[in-house]
Amino acid sequence: MIVFGIETSCDETSAAVVVDGRTLLSNIVASQMEEHARYGGVVPELASRRHVEQLIPVFRQALAEANCAWTDIDAIAVTNRPGLLGALLVGTSAAKALGMALKKPVIPVHHIEAHLYANWLTPPDNERAIADYPAVALVVSGGHTDLFHLRGHGDYVLLGRTRDDAAGEAFDKCARLMGLGYPGGPAVQKAAEGGNPKAITFPRATLPGTHEFSFSGLKTSVRYALQGENLPPIADIAASFQEAVVDVLSKKTIAAANELGVERVLLAGGVSANTRLREVMQQRCDKAGLALFYPAVALCTDNAAMIACAGYWYLQNGRTATLDFETRASEPLAGVQ
Ligand code: KG4
Ligand code: ZN
């Protein structure tokens, strides 16, 4: 089955062609990041306008690179929730039009669920194994820090989430405080490369007895660390901040896996591209006898391949596709049990 995926929930216009929810024939991502960078964050109206301009060229490129024609496509999958409403509507309107013209099913996909499904795509290096259930999954993106118990396709329990800032948001805000620019995650990772992660002991909110997270106290501490004279090098502040985030994320994820008795841990979302997070998670999972899965770096941040993959699994599991679905700015993926 060949699924055409569409993603426009934030500042990436993306289209992809994926076979059987696994093999990427193409995955085109047109990023608007540089344009939003001068405002220090995503400007929603600007994002919608750029999606309108980029969509058709990105669609054409995705088909051409996959060596496919529209007639080869079996279904269309599109992000319809959560995200910036105007941006989402550009993608869902296009998907519905395509579905009508091609007489093919259109599958509305939850963006966070698609981030999880990036773990089911064959990575370009083909070396890592594909994820499976049951598992504990940590979704760390610009808007979410959610810990889930994944029991099977579409069967998830929310264990906990952040009480304030998302992990990616903490990277972005602290990068701005450090004068490192936008998006903050990759900038902090780069700045941290030569730094000492033990230079400053930033607070770690462990919130015992819960699977919740909190990063606002850490952000305030970074602000204080940047005040006064004789500041430590930015590399040390960046490395120490990154270490604090990674420490809490990895400890709490592994504790949840142990508590539930599952043997697999999945990472997903933009922050799972972070090298130090992958490294520390790997060390701690190895020690705890847990199998760790994370997507290829290019598939951690927003992309349409993960949307196509999710759409494939929705169809495999009998979720119906109709053209009258809604587009929503927010909707939780799963509830607490
Ligand atoms: O999943 P994503 O592309 O978009 C959302 O759905 O939010 O995640 C974007 C977030 C941003 O906050 C960005 O700073 C962060 O992921 N990010 C990283 C890295 N690459 C992207 N954070 C830490 N280290 C990275 N290498
Ligand atoms: Zn995302």
Side-chain angles (χ1 to χ4, degrees), residues 160-219:
R161 56 172 36 150
T162 180
R163 289 184 182 173
D164 38 60
D165 292 343
E169 199 179 349
F171 269 98
D172 293 338
K173 287 179 176 171
C174 289
R176 195 201 276 228
L177 291 174
M178 291 183 254
L180 294 174
Y182 174 86
V188 170
Q189 177 174 314
K190 191 151 193 299
E193 271 165 19
N196 173 9
K198 293 189 177 141
I200 306 164
T201 311
F202 282 123
R204 280 120 162 104
T206 49
L207 309 176
T210 75
H211 294 299
E212 292 176 355
F213 300 91
S214 167
F215 296 107
S216 66
L218 173 58
K219 185 183 62 195

Side-chain angles (χ1 to χ4, degrees), residues 144-167:
H144 292 79
T145 299
D146 296 343
L147 200 53
F148 294 105
H149 179 197
L150 311 182
R151 302 190 292 198
H153 289 288
D155 181 8
Y156 319 127
V157 177
L158 177 68
L159 301 169
R161 56 172 36 150
T162 180
R163 289 184 182 173
D164 38 60
D165 292 343

